[in-house]
Amino acid sequence: MDPMIEVRNLVKRFGAFTAVNDVSFAVRSGEVLGFLGPNGAGKSTTMKMITGFLTPSAGSVKVSGHDVEASPIAAKQAIGYLAEGAPAYPDMTPVEFLIFVARVRGYSGNELMQKVDAAIDRANLRSVAHKNIDTLSKGFKRRVGIAQAILHDPPVLIMDEPTDGLDPNQKHEMRLLISEMAKNKAIIVSTHILEEVNALCTRAIIIAQGKLLFDGTPADLEQRSAYHNAVTLTVSGGASTDTIADALRKVTNVARVEVSAGADGRMHVVAFPESGASVIGDISQLVRAQKWELDEISVETGRLDEVFRAITSGTSESGREVLT
Amino acid sequence: MNNIMAIARRELANYFATPVAYVFIVIFLALTGVFTFYLGGFYERGQADLQPFFLYHPWLYLFLIPALSMRLWSEERKAGTIELLMTLPISTWQAVLGKFLAAWAFTTIALFLTFPIWITVNYLGDPDNPVILAGYLGSLLMAGAFLAVGAAISSLTRNQVIAFVITVVLCFGFILSGFPLVLDFFRGWLPHGVVMSIAYLSFWTHFDSITKGVIDLRDVIFFGSFIACWLFANVILVEMKKAD
Ligand SMILES: Nc1ncnc2c1ncn2[C@@H]1O[C@H](COP(=O)(O)OP(=O)(O)OP(=O)(O)O)[C@@H](O)[C@H]1O
Ligand SMILES: [Mg+2]
């Protein structure tokens, strides 16, 4: 099966500044791609090129087999797009707005009303359907944008920070909605919420300063973490943390041990394994043999925020100066 | 075609969703009244025609039409909705045409509401109605020309006030360029052909003959191609400026 979204060597320059620098990736139907990167990384700019709003400086985008520059209408028909900030006409009500979008998308009569109705239901907009959009709260505005994007049940869905501004319940609903739709769509979601990547995405890419730095599954991402398979012992009393730390250092495949105090006054001893190794077996044997009194022993899968920082570090602040 | 109509409908409904439509219509009607009956000496002339009514339309349009056109694209750019609009499956020219048609339809409505003046003149005397019809047609064409300029200028900036001012200045130029006084000024130092082109580009030259009841195909073609040129410019400007 051909990918639904194919981005090839995409470049966008604004004057002398390169916002997107040679980015390539592909998304197949059934995939949810998490698009990560620090502020100003070029996420929104890339999405604007995929949806045909911005013309690339170089490279190409194919959506559903159509080249976005050569046949923009066909490509746009296949796309549902929630732009950053969920723009919508402030003087319209959600119903009027959705009817407008449905008309432009070529629906009429009964079918049009059905599509509008279904979109209102899916985005939970019933209660504000007849209020002016400029009087809606941020979260409801976002949901109007989402309703507009999914109205025509597009095979390709591109959402720029869809959960930004939603309350925790709505965030959960939104994630459910996306997972539900994921079966027969190719979806790209940008987000700053790293847990969302685990909860939602089958794949993640990270860009910073316009460059693609990572492309893989959320599990791959976690494996990059120093905390991947790290074992944390939480100690409240009894054995001294120094003894424990010394003992742990001698376990095979333990690369390094860190001792830190938690916010609650308890001590944490973390054993980091050599990359790729697992140390939990040996450590739990040791704990039993030494009869240490522990509050808790846990294995981490990895800390995404730490990986994110490591991958994008040093790029967020000095970005512009370095490139221009 | 459906896309164009969908955009035109939304745009037209938008005029009525805000006070813009009512303010515009009331001021338009009040000013036509003032110009026709007071400044134009409608009664004093003792003639059953609408010459004084049409005579002031260029000046009325000069300030009112830019107020209608200024928001067409500036507002979209400012609110960011242009990103929504331009990622829907429509081409830029369809959006440009839809917006222009909505604004034009709105001026048609405003112009139509001046029919009491037409009734009055028919009640008072026995006017030449085909001449009046020609006047209306000419007025509508000229309104279209003002609007086309205004729509294109509106895509240049996110600021509606700037769009308004630039449009007024440009349109003022397109009216003045037909005045003998102005043309005499140019005649002093420009070749004859250039002066004739300047006069040709004036709304005044083409509107004047139409209001006298002469529908010359050349005047209609002038306004038609003038509108087409500015809409074409509008398409290019939207493409260039949409993402700025
Ligand atoms: N029209 C423009 N003109 C000039 N520079 C621009 C333009 N649009 C974006 N940029 C620059 O391009 C870079 C990437 O912006 P972009 O909006 O894609 O970032 P982002 O990854 O979406 O960030 P965020 O997480 O804050 O939304 C930024 O430095 C931005 O200032
Ligand atoms: Mg962004």
Side-chain angles (χ1 to χ4, degrees), chain A residues 48 51-55 73 76-77 79 81 83-84 87-92 97 100-101 103-106 148, chain B residues 2-3 6-7 9-10 14 17-18 75-76 79-91 94 242-243:
Chain A
K48 284 174 195 187
T51 54
F53 182 61
L54 280 180
T55 314
I73 306 281
K76 287 170 185 181
Q77 262 155 359
I79 301 176
Y81 178 39
E84 191 168 38
Y89 294 107
D91 292 320
M92 301 177 103
F97 176 63
F100 163 70
V101 171
R103 267 199 202 120
V104 174
R105 288 204 175 273
Q148 164 276 126
Chain B
N2 278 338
N3 306 336
I7 287 174
R9 266 170 96 161
R10 195 203 75 76
N14 187 261
T18 56
E75 203 176 41
E76 298 263 6
T81 44
I82 192 162
E83 189 169 353
L84 174 101
L85 187 65
M86 303 317 281
T87 50
L88 288 172
I90 50 166
S91 40
Q94 290 174 323
K242 63 183 178 185

Side-chain angles (χ1 to χ4, degrees), chain A residues 12-15 17-20 35-48 54 84 160-161 190-192 207-210 320, chain B residues 158 242-244:
Chain A
K12 182 69 195 180
R13 291 186 207 95
F14 296 110
F17 174 66
T18 308
V20 175
F35 209 18
L36 308 174
N39 291 131
K43 302 183 294 295
S44 300
T45 307
T46 306
M47 289 181 155
K48 284 174 195 187
L54 280 180
E84 191 168 38
D160 204 344
E161 302 189 27
S190 80
T191 180
H192 289 296
I207 64 171
Q209 281 186 6
R320 245 169 213 269
Chain B
R158 306 161 165 260
K242 63 183 178 185
D244 281 7

Side-chain angles (χ1 to χ4, degrees), chain A residues 28-76:
Chain A
R28 292 170 190 284
S29 196
E31 275 188 309
V32 181
L33 179 74
F35 209 18
L36 308 174
N39 291 131
K43 302 183 294 295
S44 300
T45 307
T46 306
M47 289 181 155
K48 284 174 195 187
M49 288 190 278
I50 298 174
T51 54
F53 182 61
L54 280 180
T55 314
S57 306
S60 70
V61 180
K62 264 191 182 176
V63 172
S64 189
H66 307 285
D67 186 281
V68 174
E69 267 187 276
S71 36
I73 306 281
K76 287 170 185 181

